[in-house]
Amino acid sequence: MSLVMKFGGSSVADAERMRQVAHLARSAASQGALVVLSAAGRTTDALLVAARHAESGRIEEALAGHQALQRAHRALAEALFPEGIPSGLQRALADLDDELDLLLRGVALLQECSPRSRDAITSVGERFSTRILAAFLGAPWVDARKVLRTDATFGAAQPQPEALRTLAREHLASHLHPGSLAVTQGFIGATSEGLTTTLGRGGSDYSASLFGAALEASEIQIWTDVEGVLTCDPRVVPGAQAIPELSFAEAAELAAFGAKVLHPATLEPAVAAGIPVTVRHTLRPEGCFTTITAHPGTGRPATALACRGPVTVLTVTSSRMLNQSGFLARLFEVFRHHRTSVDLVATAEVSVSLTVDADAPLDRLRADLEAFARVEVAEDRAIVALVGERLKATPGVTGRAFGALGDLNVEMISMGANEINLSLVVRHDEAPEALRRLHAAFFEEAP
């Protein structure tokens, strides 16, 4: 069974790091490895800036951005090939330069950058980086747009798994026998008509998982700049510890509640296919890493902490809730109408508290809700989530959490329906202290 190895932009930001990626890929070639690459460094951001300049009619600024990217990728290739860039790679890079130049000039001419055009422009970054790595490895370069079939929702395309499986067998499987490597792009795909699409920011992880599922891979490796998933954000808790093993459910909860390592959708194809996902540090391949499987980890009652904020808490109160059917349906219809996602919900006899993102349309939500209830709004809050498969089987977790928080005021509490997530709402400026206290109680003290 083959292996899928995904490397993010920081892993291929310069020649030294790309050499390390090549070393890791060659070390895994005995299994037959598909290398999935992001754009190098901040390339995607630079492409988006160039697209905005072009849309505003500032073609010289757009082309200056393109030329800066051109120089950066030429310098990367020259550093990897000191004897001279191979002619095939030179032609491939020149073709990409011509394509990007044409796209930017077209946007500038129309002074319009549609989602379709934006996808075409941003896809160039992954094609630059993969062309260079494939040439350096001497490995086949596979255009992901021939494999990752999607719908036409440009900017957030939805994959079509059945078509993807067929196309993976056709375009990828033949390259992945023991001792071989192939290189392709994350983030990008195409419609059945051949129009370039993207999966959204962070979509390279998702691409790797989709390819892994389609190929029935033995493992999907996500190589990044941290040693696996940590028990907390190390910028807040310097003593955060690497987690050896996570369940799929735990990883999904952590991703949804603010953990930065994994794209929230990454795990879905892997879960369905039963393929383990490992999160590893590109520059410390022998260091700690996290394995994510269908089986829960063991040990402490809690596995990790995550935090998301700022969020806003809306408390909706009405005496008409009491013993009345249909009230909650009417309440949530308001949020559906305004296309606003609700995160946490806590109910009482005559009130409902819920959280929404800070950029939710509060004025419109409040106006519609006040047609049938009283509404209180508390802004600048944060959700602190304590996640662990063993929470539901460990008595006293809530008391332990509140004991650790001490004088910090918890304004809302929710135990997830799956009982592996204890979520607490606190003031946003108190969230770092809440994380430190909870981490000390659950991860630094004896269980």
Side-chain angles (χ1 to χ4, degrees), residues 30-63:
S30 60
Q31 300 179 61
L34 176 66
V35 180
V36 181
L37 224 58
S38 296
R42 309 291 298 180
T43 298
T44 303
D45 290 335
L47 288 167
L48 288 169
V49 169
R52 287 195 292 270
H53 285 324
E55 186 175 29
S56 301
R58 301 195 299 274
I59 186 59
E60 295 305 321
E61 293 177 57
L63 294 179

PDB file of all heavy atoms in Angstrom, residues 30-63:
ATOM      1  N   SER A  30      10.437   3.476  -0.677  1.00  0.00           N
ATOM      2  CA  SER A  30      10.310   2.016  -0.696  1.00  0.00           C
ATOM      3  C   SER A  30       8.857   1.568  -0.651  1.00  0.00           C
ATOM      4  O   SER A  30       8.510   0.486  -1.139  1.00  0.00           O
ATOM      5  CB  SER A  30      11.073   1.403   0.481  1.00  0.00           C
ATOM      6  OG  SER A  30      10.555   1.881   1.715  1.00  0.00           O
ATOM      7  N   GLN A  31       7.993   2.422  -0.075  1.00  0.00           N
ATOM      8  CA  GLN A  31       6.568   2.081   0.004  1.00  0.00           C
ATOM      9  C   GLN A  31       5.791   2.523  -1.233  1.00  0.00           C
ATOM     10  O   GLN A  31       4.647   2.125  -1.411  1.00  0.00           O
ATOM     11  CB  GLN A  31       5.940   2.745   1.239  1.00  0.00           C
ATOM     12  CG  GLN A  31       6.571   2.321   2.548  1.00  0.00           C
ATOM     13  CD  GLN A  31       5.916   3.035   3.713  1.00  0.00           C
ATOM     14  OE1 GLN A  31       4.710   2.892   3.954  1.00  0.00           O
ATOM     15  NE2 GLN A  31       6.699   3.816   4.444  1.00  0.00           N
ATOM     16  N   GLY A  32       6.406   3.413  -2.022  1.00  0.00           N
ATOM     17  CA  GLY A  32       5.664   4.055  -3.091  1.00  0.00           C
ATOM     18  C   GLY A  32       4.930   5.243  -2.502  1.00  0.00           C
ATOM     19  O   GLY A  32       3.920   5.074  -1.827  1.00  0.00           O
ATOM     20  N   ALA A  33       5.469   6.447  -2.692  1.00  0.00           N
ATOM     21  CA  ALA A  33       4.944   7.624  -1.987  1.00  0.00           C
ATOM     22  C   ALA A  33       4.456   8.697  -2.954  1.00  0.00           C
ATOM     23  O   ALA A  33       5.150   9.036  -3.920  1.00  0.00           O
ATOM     24  CB  ALA A  33       6.016   8.211  -1.065  1.00  0.00           C
ATOM     25  N   LEU A  34       3.277   9.220  -2.675  1.00  0.00           N
ATOM     26  CA  LEU A  34       2.753  10.385  -3.377  1.00  0.00           C
ATOM     27  C   LEU A  34       3.051  11.610  -2.529  1.00  0.00           C
ATOM     28  O   LEU A  34       2.613  11.691  -1.380  1.00  0.00           O
ATOM     29  CB  LEU A  34       1.241  10.260  -3.592  1.00  0.00           C
ATOM     30  CG  LEU A  34       0.572  11.478  -4.235  1.00  0.00           C
ATOM     31  CD1 LEU A  34       1.066  11.677  -5.669  1.00  0.00           C
ATOM     32  CD2 LEU A  34      -0.952  11.340  -4.201  1.00  0.00           C
ATOM     33  N   VAL A  35       3.797  12.561  -3.084  1.00  0.00           N
ATOM     34  CA  VAL A  35       4.141  13.786  -2.376  1.00  0.00           C
ATOM     35  C   VAL A  35       3.167  14.875  -2.814  1.00  0.00           C
ATOM     36  O   VAL A  35       3.064  15.198  -4.001  1.00  0.00           O
ATOM     37  CB  VAL A  35       5.589  14.219  -2.679  1.00  0.00           C
ATOM     38  CG1 VAL A  35       5.931  15.503  -1.922  1.00  0.00           C
ATOM     39  CG2 VAL A  35       6.564  13.108  -2.300  1.00  0.00           C
ATOM     40  N   VAL A  36       2.444  15.425  -1.857  1.00  0.00           N
ATOM     41  CA  VAL A  36       1.451  16.476  -2.110  1.00  0.00           C
ATOM     42  C   VAL A  36       2.013  17.774  -1.543  1.00  0.00           C
ATOM     43  O   VAL A  36       2.327  17.843  -0.355  1.00  0.00           O
ATOM     44  CB  VAL A  36       0.103  16.135  -1.452  1.00  0.00           C
ATOM     45  CG1 VAL A  36      -0.921  17.227  -1.734  1.00  0.00           C
ATOM     46  CG2 VAL A  36      -0.399  14.783  -1.948  1.00  0.00           C
ATOM     47  N   LEU A  37       2.114  18.794  -2.372  1.00  0.00           N
ATOM     48  CA  LEU A  37       2.820  20.009  -1.978  1.00  0.00           C
ATOM     49  C   LEU A  37       1.912  21.226  -2.020  1.00  0.00           C
ATOM     50  O   LEU A  37       1.059  21.364  -2.913  1.00  0.00           O
ATOM     51  CB  LEU A  37       3.989  20.242  -2.944  1.00  0.00           C
ATOM     52  CG  LEU A  37       5.337  20.656  -2.342  1.00  0.00           C
ATOM     53  CD1 LEU A  37       5.819  19.616  -1.355  1.00  0.00           C
ATOM     54  CD2 LEU A  37       6.363  20.853  -3.456  1.00  0.00           C
ATOM     55  N   SER A  38       2.119  22.127  -1.053  1.00  0.00           N
ATOM     56  CA  SER A  38       1.506  23.452  -1.082  1.00  0.00           C
ATOM     57  C   SER A  38       2.388  24.398  -1.888  1.00  0.00           C
ATOM     58  O   SER A  38       3.507  24.052  -2.287  1.00  0.00           O
ATOM     59  CB  SER A  38       1.346  23.999   0.340  1.00  0.00           C
ATOM     60  OG  SER A  38       0.469  23.219   1.105  1.00  0.00           O
ATOM     61  N   ALA A  39       1.910  25.619  -2.104  1.00  0.00           N
ATOM     62  CA  ALA A  39       2.750  26.655  -2.701  1.00  0.00           C
ATOM     63  C   ALA A  39       3.835  27.045  -1.706  1.00  0.00           C
ATOM     64  O   ALA A  39       3.645  26.961  -0.488  1.00  0.00           O
ATOM     65  CB  ALA A  39       1.895  27.865  -3.061  1.00  0.00           C
ATOM     66  N   ALA A  40       4.984  27.467  -2.221  1.00  0.00           N
ATOM     67  CA  ALA A  40       6.115  27.801  -1.362  1.00  0.00           C
ATOM     68  C   ALA A  40       5.866  29.084  -0.576  1.00  0.00           C
ATOM     69  O   ALA A  40       5.440  30.097  -1.144  1.00  0.00           O
ATOM     70  CB  ALA A  40       7.379  27.955  -2.209  1.00  0.00           C
ATOM     71  N   GLY A  41       6.140  29.028   0.728  1.00  0.00           N
ATOM     72  CA  GLY A  41       6.092  30.227   1.568  1.00  0.00           C
ATOM     73  C   GLY A  41       4.766  30.953   1.482  1.00  0.00           C
ATOM     74  O   GLY A  41       3.694  30.358   1.632  1.00  0.00           O
ATOM     75  N   ARG A  42       4.856  32.264   1.180  1.00  0.00           N
ATOM     76  CA  ARG A  42       3.653  33.122   1.129  1.00  0.00           C
ATOM     77  C   ARG A  42       3.194  33.348  -0.307  1.00  0.00           C
ATOM     78  O   ARG A  42       2.580  34.372  -0.623  1.00  0.00           O
ATOM     79  CB  ARG A  42       3.960  34.464   1.781  1.00  0.00           C
ATOM     80  CG  ARG A  42       4.582  34.401   3.161  1.00  0.00           C
ATOM     81  CD  ARG A  42       3.648  33.898   4.228  1.00  0.00           C
ATOM     82  NE  ARG A  42       2.485  34.731   4.422  1.00  0.00           N
ATOM     83  CZ  ARG A  42       1.530  34.478   5.315  1.00  0.00           C
ATOM     84  NH1 ARG A  42       1.628  33.391   6.075  1.00  0.00           N
ATOM     85  NH2 ARG A  42       0.489  35.267   5.439  1.00  0.00           N
ATOM     86  N   THR A  43       3.452  32.401  -1.193  1.00  0.00           N
ATOM     87  CA  THR A  43       3.141  32.588  -2.609  1.00  0.00           C
ATOM     88  C   THR A  43       1.662  32.848  -2.852  1.00  0.00           C
ATOM     89  O   THR A  43       1.290  33.741  -3.630  1.00  0.00           O
ATOM     90  CB  THR A  43       3.596  31.351  -3.416  1.00  0.00           C
ATOM     91  OG1 THR A  43       5.011  31.213  -3.295  1.00  0.00           O
ATOM     92  CG2 THR A  43       3.229  31.490  -4.879  1.00  0.00           C
ATOM     93  N   THR A  44       0.792  32.082  -2.205  1.00  0.00           N
ATOM     94  CA  THR A  44      -0.647  32.259  -2.442  1.00  0.00           C
ATOM     95  C   THR A  44      -1.094  33.655  -2.042  1.00  0.00           C
ATOM     96  O   THR A  44      -1.881  34.297  -2.760  1.00  0.00           O
ATOM     97  CB  THR A  44      -1.450  31.190  -1.678  1.00  0.00           C
ATOM     98  OG1 THR A  44      -1.014  29.892  -2.078  1.00  0.00           O
ATOM     99  CG2 THR A  44      -2.945  31.327  -1.968  1.00  0.00           C
ATOM    100  N   ASP A  45      -0.601  34.159  -0.916  1.00  0.00           N
ATOM    101  CA  ASP A  45      -0.935  35.521  -0.513  1.00  0.00           C
ATOM    102  C   ASP A  45      -0.476  36.526  -1.567  1.00  0.00           C
ATOM    103  O   ASP A  45      -1.206  37.470  -1.904  1.00  0.00           O
ATOM    104  CB  ASP A  45      -0.279  35.858   0.830  1.00  0.00           C
ATOM    105  CG  ASP A  45      -0.904  35.107   1.990  1.00  0.00           C
ATOM    106  OD1 ASP A  45      -2.085  34.720   1.881  1.00  0.00           O
ATOM    107  OD2 ASP A  45      -0.218  34.891   2.996  1.00  0.00           O
ATOM    108  N   ALA A  46       0.742  36.341  -2.088  1.00  0.00           N
ATOM    109  CA  ALA A  46       1.260  37.261  -3.100  1.00  0.00           C
ATOM    110  C   ALA A  46       0.424  37.207  -4.379  1.00  0.00           C
ATOM    111  O   ALA A  46       0.188  38.239  -5.027  1.00  0.00           O
ATOM    112  CB  ALA A  46       2.718  36.927  -3.399  1.00  0.00           C
ATOM    113  N   LEU A  47      -0.035  36.021  -4.754  1.00  0.00           N
ATOM    114  CA  LEU A  47      -0.887  35.900  -5.942  1.00  0.00           C
ATOM    115  C   LEU A  47      -2.224  36.611  -5.744  1.00  0.00           C
ATOM    116  O   LEU A  47      -2.741  37.254  -6.670  1.00  0.00           O
ATOM    117  CB  LEU A  47      -1.112  34.425  -6.259  1.00  0.00           C
ATOM    118  CG  LEU A  47       0.096  33.672  -6.825  1.00  0.00           C
ATOM    119  CD1 LEU A  47      -0.144  32.171  -6.795  1.00  0.00           C
ATOM    120  CD2 LEU A  47       0.398  34.135  -8.248  1.00  0.00           C
ATOM    121  N   LEU A  48      -2.788  36.505  -4.558  1.00  0.00           N
ATOM    122  CA  LEU A  48      -4.051  37.194  -4.282  1.00  0.00           C
ATOM    123  C   LEU A  48      -3.871  38.705  -4.328  1.00  0.00           C
ATOM    124  O   LEU A  48      -4.747  39.429  -4.822  1.00  0.00           O
ATOM    125  CB  LEU A  48      -4.591  36.756  -2.920  1.00  0.00           C
ATOM    126  CG  LEU A  48      -5.142  35.325  -2.862  1.00  0.00           C
ATOM    127  CD1 LEU A  48      -5.407  34.906  -1.421  1.00  0.00           C
ATOM    128  CD2 LEU A  48      -6.430  35.218  -3.682  1.00  0.00           C
ATOM    129  N   VAL A  49      -2.745  39.199  -3.819  1.00  0.00           N
ATOM    130  CA  VAL A  49      -2.467  40.634  -3.880  1.00  0.00           C
ATOM    131  C   VAL A  49      -2.347  41.076  -5.338  1.00  0.00           C
ATOM    132  O   VAL A  49      -2.907  42.102  -5.742  1.00  0.00           O
ATOM    133  CB  VAL A  49      -1.191  40.977  -3.096  1.00  0.00           C
ATOM    134  CG1 VAL A  49      -0.751  42.419  -3.374  1.00  0.00           C
ATOM    135  CG2 VAL A  49      -1.412  40.784  -1.604  1.00  0.00           C
ATOM    136  N   ALA A  50      -1.632  40.315  -6.140  1.00  0.00           N
ATOM    137  CA  ALA A  50      -1.489  40.649  -7.554  1.00  0.00           C
ATOM    138  C   ALA A  50      -2.849  40.662  -8.253  1.00  0.00           C
ATOM    139  O   ALA A  50      -3.124  41.538  -9.083  1.00  0.00           O
ATOM    140  CB  ALA A  50      -0.551  39.647  -8.232  1.00  0.00           C
ATOM    141  N   ALA A  51      -3.710  39.699  -7.919  1.00  0.00           N
ATOM    142  CA  ALA A  51      -5.053  39.652  -8.513  1.00  0.00           C
ATOM    143  C   ALA A  51      -5.853  40.895  -8.132  1.00  0.00           C
ATOM    144  O   ALA A  51      -6.578  41.464  -8.967  1.00  0.00           O
ATOM    145  CB  ALA A  51      -5.769  38.389  -8.067  1.00  0.00           C
ATOM    146  N   ARG A  52      -5.735  41.332  -6.880  1.00  0.00           N
ATOM    147  CA  ARG A  52      -6.468  42.535  -6.455  1.00  0.00           C
ATOM    148  C   ARG A  52      -5.949  43.776  -7.182  1.00  0.00           C
ATOM    149  O   ARG A  52      -6.737  44.644  -7.575  1.00  0.00           O
ATOM    150  CB  ARG A  52      -6.364  42.713  -4.940  1.00  0.00           C
ATOM    151  CG  ARG A  52      -7.207  41.720  -4.150  1.00  0.00           C
ATOM    152  CD  ARG A  52      -7.369  42.141  -2.702  1.00  0.00           C
ATOM    153  NE  ARG A  52      -6.120  42.063  -1.966  1.00  0.00           N
ATOM    154  CZ  ARG A  52      -5.705  40.987  -1.309  1.00  0.00           C
ATOM    155  NH1 ARG A  52      -6.436  39.878  -1.325  1.00  0.00           N
ATOM    156  NH2 ARG A  52      -4.569  40.995  -0.641  1.00  0.00           N
ATOM    157  N   HIS A  53      -4.633  43.877  -7.342  1.00  0.00           N
ATOM    158  CA  HIS A  53      -4.079  45.004  -8.096  1.00  0.00           C
ATOM    159  C   HIS A  53      -4.612  45.005  -9.528  1.00  0.00           C
ATOM    160  O   HIS A  53      -5.000  46.053 -10.055  1.00  0.00           O
ATOM    161  CB  HIS A  53      -2.550  44.920  -8.113  1.00  0.00           C
ATOM    162  CG  HIS A  53      -1.900  45.296  -6.825  1.00  0.00           C
ATOM    163  ND1 HIS A  53      -2.378  46.302  -6.003  1.00  0.00           N
ATOM    164  CD2 HIS A  53      -0.775  44.815  -6.207  1.00  0.00           C
ATOM    165  CE1 HIS A  53      -1.599  46.421  -4.938  1.00  0.00           C
ATOM    166  NE2 HIS A  53      -0.629  45.528  -5.035  1.00  0.00           N
ATOM    167  N   ALA A  54      -4.630  43.835 -10.148  1.00  0.00           N
ATOM    168  CA  ALA A  54      -5.114  43.749 -11.523  1.00  0.00           C
ATOM    169  C   ALA A  54      -6.587  44.139 -11.617  1.00  0.00           C
ATOM    170  O   ALA A  54      -6.993  44.881 -12.524  1.00  0.00           O
ATOM    171  CB  ALA A  54      -4.900  42.334 -12.048  1.00  0.00           C
ATOM    172  N   GLU A  55      -7.378  43.670 -10.678  1.00  0.00           N
ATOM    173  CA  GLU A  55      -8.807  43.986 -10.688  1.00  0.00           C
ATOM    174  C   GLU A  55      -9.044  45.478 -10.539  1.00  0.00           C
ATOM    175  O   GLU A  55     -10.017  46.022 -11.091  1.00  0.00           O
ATOM    176  CB  GLU A  55      -9.508  43.225  -9.563  1.00  0.00           C
ATOM    177  CG  GLU A  55     -11.019  43.359  -9.575  1.00  0.00           C
ATOM    178  CD  GLU A  55     -11.677  42.500  -8.522  1.00  0.00           C
ATOM    179  OE1 GLU A  55     -11.036  42.241  -7.480  1.00  0.00           O
ATOM    180  OE2 GLU A  55     -12.824  42.084  -8.720  1.00  0.00           O
ATOM    181  N   SER A  56      -8.164  46.145  -9.809  1.00  0.00           N
ATOM    182  CA  SER A  56      -8.291  47.599  -9.616  1.00  0.00           C
ATOM    183  C   SER A  56      -7.690  48.388 -10.764  1.00  0.00           C
ATOM    184  O   SER A  56      -7.631  49.619 -10.709  1.00  0.00           O
ATOM    185  CB  SER A  56      -7.601  48.007  -8.303  1.00  0.00           C
ATOM    186  OG  SER A  56      -8.175  47.336  -7.207  1.00  0.00           O
ATOM    187  N   GLY A  57      -7.210  47.684 -11.788  1.00  0.00           N
ATOM    188  CA  GLY A  57      -6.629  48.370 -12.937  1.00  0.00           C
ATOM    189  C   GLY A  57      -5.175  48.744 -12.754  1.00  0.00           C
ATOM    190  O   GLY A  57      -4.595  49.398 -13.635  1.00  0.00           O
ATOM    191  N   ARG A  58      -4.559  48.319 -11.651  1.00  0.00           N
ATOM    192  CA  ARG A  58      -3.160  48.674 -11.400  1.00  0.00           C
ATOM    193  C   ARG A  58      -2.274  47.551 -11.950  1.00  0.00           C
ATOM    194  O   ARG A  58      -1.631  46.807 -11.213  1.00  0.00           O
ATOM    195  CB  ARG A  58      -2.929  48.878  -9.904  1.00  0.00           C
ATOM    196  CG  ARG A  58      -3.818  49.968  -9.305  1.00  0.00           C
ATOM    197  CD  ARG A  58      -3.341  50.433  -7.930  1.00  0.00           C
ATOM    198  NE  ARG A  58      -3.327  49.386  -6.927  1.00  0.00           N
ATOM    199  CZ  ARG A  58      -4.381  49.032  -6.186  1.00  0.00           C
ATOM    200  NH1 ARG A  58      -5.544  49.670  -6.366  1.00  0.00           N
ATOM    201  NH2 ARG A  58      -4.295  48.080  -5.279  1.00  0.00           N
ATOM    202  N   ILE A  59      -2.237  47.455 -13.294  1.00  0.00           N
ATOM    203  CA  ILE A  59      -1.569  46.337 -13.931  1.00  0.00           C
ATOM    204  C   ILE A  59      -0.075  46.340 -13.666  1.00  0.00           C
ATOM    205  O   ILE A  59       0.537  45.276 -13.514  1.00  0.00           O
ATOM    206  CB  ILE A  59      -1.857  46.332 -15.457  1.00  0.00           C
ATOM    207  CG1 ILE A  59      -1.269  45.075 -16.107  1.00  0.00           C
ATOM    208  CG2 ILE A  59      -1.330  47.601 -16.119  1.00  0.00           C
ATOM    209  CD1 ILE A  59      -1.792  43.778 -15.548  1.00  0.00           C
ATOM    210  N   GLU A  60       0.548  47.518 -13.580  1.00  0.00           N
ATOM    211  CA  GLU A  60       1.989  47.547 -13.335  1.00  0.00           C
ATOM    212  C   GLU A  60       2.317  46.954 -11.968  1.00  0.00           C
ATOM    213  O   GLU A  60       3.311  46.229 -11.811  1.00  0.00           O
ATOM    214  CB  GLU A  60       2.517  48.980 -13.445  1.00  0.00           C
ATOM    215  CG  GLU A  60       2.391  49.578 -14.844  1.00  0.00           C
ATOM    216  CD  GLU A  60       3.053  48.717 -15.909  1.00  0.00           C
ATOM    217  OE1 GLU A  60       4.141  48.159 -15.623  1.00  0.00           O
ATOM    218  OE2 GLU A  60       2.486  48.591 -17.010  1.00  0.00           O
ATOM    219  N   GLU A  61       1.499  47.260 -10.965  1.00  0.00           N
ATOM    220  CA  GLU A  61       1.726  46.689  -9.636  1.00  0.00           C
ATOM    221  C   GLU A  61       1.478  45.182  -9.654  1.00  0.00           C
ATOM    222  O   GLU A  61       2.200  44.410  -8.999  1.00  0.00           O
ATOM    223  CB  GLU A  61       0.827  47.374  -8.610  1.00  0.00           C
ATOM    224  CG  GLU A  61       1.158  48.840  -8.371  1.00  0.00           C
ATOM    225  CD  GLU A  61       0.196  49.490  -7.403  1.00  0.00           C
ATOM    226  OE1 GLU A  61       0.078  48.990  -6.268  1.00  0.00           O
ATOM    227  OE2 GLU A  61      -0.446  50.490  -7.780  1.00  0.00           O
ATOM    228  N   ALA A  62       0.444  44.761 -10.391  1.00  0.00           N
ATOM    229  CA  ALA A  62       0.164  43.324 -10.485  1.00  0.00           C
ATOM    230  C   ALA A  62       1.334  42.594 -11.138  1.00  0.00           C
ATOM    231  O   ALA A  62       1.775  41.531 -10.660  1.00  0.00           O
ATOM    232  CB  ALA A  62      -1.106  43.094 -11.286  1.00  0.00           C
ATOM    233  N   LEU A  63       1.868  43.164 -12.219  1.00  0.00           N
ATOM    234  CA  LEU A  63       2.972  42.511 -12.912  1.00  0.00           C
ATOM    235  C   LEU A  63       4.257  42.569 -12.097  1.00  0.00           C
ATOM    236  O   LEU A  63       5.092  41.656 -12.175  1.00  0.00           O
ATOM    237  CB  LEU A  63       3.178  43.158 -14.286  1.00  0.00           C
ATOM    238  CG  LEU A  63       2.015  42.948 -15.278  1.00  0.00           C
ATOM    239  CD1 LEU A  63       2.315  43.654 -16.590  1.00  0.00           C
ATOM    240  CD2 LEU A  63       1.755  41.457 -15.512  1.00  0.00           C
TER     241      LEU A  63
END
